[in-house]
Amino acid sequence: MNFSHDAKLNELAAKVEAGERLSFDEGVALFATDDLPALAKLADTMRRRLHGLTTYYNVNRHFNYTNICYADCKFCGFYRTPRQADAYTHNIQDSLRIAGEAVREGATELHIVGGLNTKLPFSYYTDLLSSLKREYPRLHLKAFTMVELDHMARFYKMADEEVINQLMRAGMDSCPGGGAEIFREPTRSMICTHKTGGERWLELSGKAHAAGLKTNATMLYGHIESTEDRVDHFIQLREQQDRSGGFQCFIPLAFYPPGTQLSHLPGPSGVDSLKTIAVSRLMLDNFPHIKAYWVMLGKQLAQVALHFGANDLDGTITEGGELTESYSVEANNEVKISKQEIVALIKDAGFEAVERDTLYNPVVRETAAA
Ligand code: V47
C-alpha cells in the first residue's frame, strides 16, 4: 500500500503491516520523514491492531515524598539541597493525609517518587509503604524508580533483590518509569552526571520483573540528545523487554526547560513530540501501551497524540504532586484535569475512553460520579 510521498515510509509500511521488527536505521529514517500524516497512519495502524479504539486513563495522584536530591541533574527544576528554604521531606502523617484525599476523590493509584535523600534511613521507605497499605489497602502503590532502587541498594549496602523484596513486602505494587532519561553515553553523563547509568537502570528493571513487578519506562527528549540517542533508547528498552517482559507502558517525556540548568533550550516542538510518540509506537513492538503524558505535552497536543500511536492519557493526577506542578506546560503550571474532561478529550478525538487501574484492568464504578 502506497500512502506516502516518502518512498522509505512506504517500504516500512509493508514491514509494519507484516508485523516485522524495525531496525535502528529504520527508526532513524522514521524520524527523518516530513510526511507527518503518513507517519501517523503507520503508528495508528499498529495502535488499532493492539487496542482498537480503546484509550485508557486512570484516576491517580502523584506524591513526592522529598525534593532533597544529590543527583544534580541538569534538566531538573524540582530538586533542592538540604539547606534551601523550600526543601522538604514529608512524614508519614502528611503521606496518609494526601493518600486519604486521593482515595476520597476516587483514586485507584498513588504514584510515589522522590529525590535521592541521604538523610533518610531505609525504614523510612518501608514505613511509608506499610502505613499507606495498612490505611488504604485497595490503593495501588506505584512507587520508586530504578534510580531510587539503585540508590537504596548502594547507600544501605543491600542486595538489589533484598531491596525489592523488602519494599514489596511493605506494600510496593509496581514501579513508575522515571529516571531512564537517555541511556546512551556521552549524552547521559552530560545531562545527569551523578545518576544511575543506563545499563544499571535496565538491569534493575529486569530484577523488578523477575520479582513479579510490572514497571514502566520513560525517555526524556527535546534537550541535547540526538535522533540516534532516541532510537538507541528504544532498542535498549525493546531488548530488555524481550529478556524480562515486565514493562507495561512507555512514556516519552517532553523536556520542559524553565527553572532548570538547561533553561536556555527551547524544548521540543509539537511536531517533534508527535513524531516521537509515533516512532516509539512503531519501534517498541513488544510494549503494550504508549502514554501521551498530558502534563508535559499539554492537553491539546496529548489529544492529537492519540492519532499518532498513543493509547493512554495517564491520569487525573490532581494537586499534591509538587514534581509535576513545577513542570507542566499547562497555563500557570496547572496540573489538574477532571475525569469528565479527560473522557471528553478522548471521545472528541474519536476514541473510546476506558478507566483503567495501574495494571490496565478496566475499573468498574458503582455510580457514574464516583
Ligand atoms: O525521570 C525531569 C522527567 C521524570 C523534567 O511511570 C522532566 O507512569 C520534563 O517518570 N521536563 C519523572 N520532564 C516523571 C515520570 C513519570 C511521569 C508520569 C508517569 C510515569 C509513569 C512516570 O520526569 C524524570 C525525568 O525524566 N523530568 N525534569 C523537565 N524539566
Side-chain angles (χ1 to χ4, degrees):
M1 177 178 60
N2 276 13
F3 58 80
S4 172
H5 61 70
D6 181 333
K8 183 73 188 165
L9 220 57
N10 282 324
E11 194 187 306
L12 297 185
K15 278 189 92 168
V16 170
E17 275 175 23
E20 284 174 40
R21 185 159 269 196
L22 302 180
S23 69
F24 179 90
D25 289 344
E26 289 167 339
V28 173
L30 285 171
F31 270 115
T33 189
D34 290 323
D35 194 344
L36 210 59
L39 182 62
K41 178 98 180 64
L42 207 54
D44 190 54
T45 301
M46 190 156 162
R47 176 252 208 257
R48 282 176 199 245
R49 190 160 68 215
L50 290 167
H51 306 289
L53 292 176
T54 299
T55 297
Y56 294 100
Y57 69 97
N58 72 344
V59 180
N60 66 346
R61 185 149 181 168
H62 284 212
F63 171 59
N64 306 119
Y65 55 90
T66 183
N67 64 352
I68 296 175
C69 189
Y70 64 74
D72 188 26
C73 300
K74 290 198 170 47
F75 53 78
C76 180
F78 165 70
Y79 80 92
R80 298 289 183 269
T81 58
R83 287 170 190 276
Q84 283 179 281
D86 51 353
Y88 72 81
T89 300
H90 286 304
N91 59 27
I92 302 253
Q93 243 174 344
D94 289 341
S95 323
L96 288 172
R97 179 182 50 76
I98 290 166
E101 281 171 22
V103 168
R104 281 189 291 283
E105 285 168 7
T108 57
E109 166 190 293
L110 194 63
H111 175 134
I112 307 172
V113 291
L116 308 180
N117 182 343
T118 54
K119 291 277 186 286
L120 302 175
F122 184 67
S123 58
Y124 173 87
Y125 304 99
T126 48
D127 289 348
L128 175 67
L129 292 167
S130 56
S131 310
L132 289 167
K133 252 314 166 221
R134 200 174 312 118
E135 205 64 33
Y136 304 106
R138 295 180 60 198
L139 187 63
H140 181 109
L141 304 179
K142 182 173 84 176
F144 310 130
T145 65
M146 299 309 117
V147 172
E148 288 158 285
L149 299 186
D150 176 45
H151 162 72
M152 292 180 209
R154 287 185 302 111
F155 191 69
Y156 306 111
K157 298 189 173 30
M158 291 165 69
D160 299 337
E161 289 76 7
E162 190 56 23
V163 170
I164 293 169
N165 288 339
Q166 289 209 30
L167 295 174
M168 285 175 79
R169 271 204 296 275
M172 178 172 75
D173 294 310
S174 69
C175 298
E181 322 310 357
I182 285 287
F183 294 138
R184 198 156 87 141
E185 295 290 358
T187 306
R188 187 173 186 86
S189 291
M190 286 162 81
I191 57 169
C192 47
T193 320
H194 309 293
K195 201 171 211 157
T196 311
E199 245 177 70
R200 174 81 175 132
W201 189 99
L202 291 161
E203 181 193 18
L204 275 166
S205 299
K207 290 187 175 180
H209 299 165
L213 291 168
K214 295 289 183 193
T215 73
N216 290 338
T218 56
M219 176 180 77
L220 182 70
Y221 69 93
H223 43 89
I224 62 161
E225 87 288 1
S226 62
T227 299
E228 287 75 11
D229 287 338
R230 295 184 190 183
V231 179
D232 172 83
H233 197 88
F234 298 150
I235 299 223
Q236 295 214 46
L237 284 174
R238 191 168 76 182
E239 288 175 352
Q240 183 60 49
Q241 181 76 326
D242 280 344
R243 288 191 289 271
S244 56
F247 290 119
Q248 300 202 101
C249 180
F250 176 70
I251 310 132
L253 295 169
F255 175 51
Y256 180 70
T260 74
Q261 293 172 59
L262 300 174
S263 60
H264 54 285
L265 298 178
S269 69
V271 165
D272 193 17
S273 286
L274 294 175
K275 276 188 178 181
T276 306
I277 297 259
V279 181
S280 69
R281 176 60 291 165
L282 292 164
M283 293 301 293
L284 295 173
D285 52 18
N286 53 4
F287 271 61
H289 306 286
I290 304 290
K291 191 184 283 184
Y293 188 45
W294 64 267
V295 176
M296 259 75 145
L297 288 173
K299 294 170 190 170
Q300 292 169 354
L301 195 59
Q303 185 189 36
V304 178
L306 299 179
H307 284 280
F308 283 74
N311 66 292
D312 187 348
L313 274 191
D314 198 80
T316 50
I317 298 175
T318 68
E319 336 69 309
E322 296 85 347
L323 178 67
T324 42
E325 272 167 17
S326 57
Y327 285 176
S328 180
V329 299
E330 287 293 333
N332 307 318
N333 274 330
E334 197 188 57
V335 182
K336 224 177 177 179
I337 193 167
S338 69
K339 198 166 149 169
Q340 287 74 13
E341 199 183 348
I342 216 166
V343 168
L345 284 176
I346 294 169
K347 285 190 176 164
D348 184 50
F351 293 97
E352 289 161 10
V354 174
E355 184 186 341
R356 63 164 175 88
D357 64 15
T358 311
L359 303 176
Y360 287 84
N361 303 300
V363 171
V364 182
R365 304 219 178 229
E366 275 161 24
T367 61

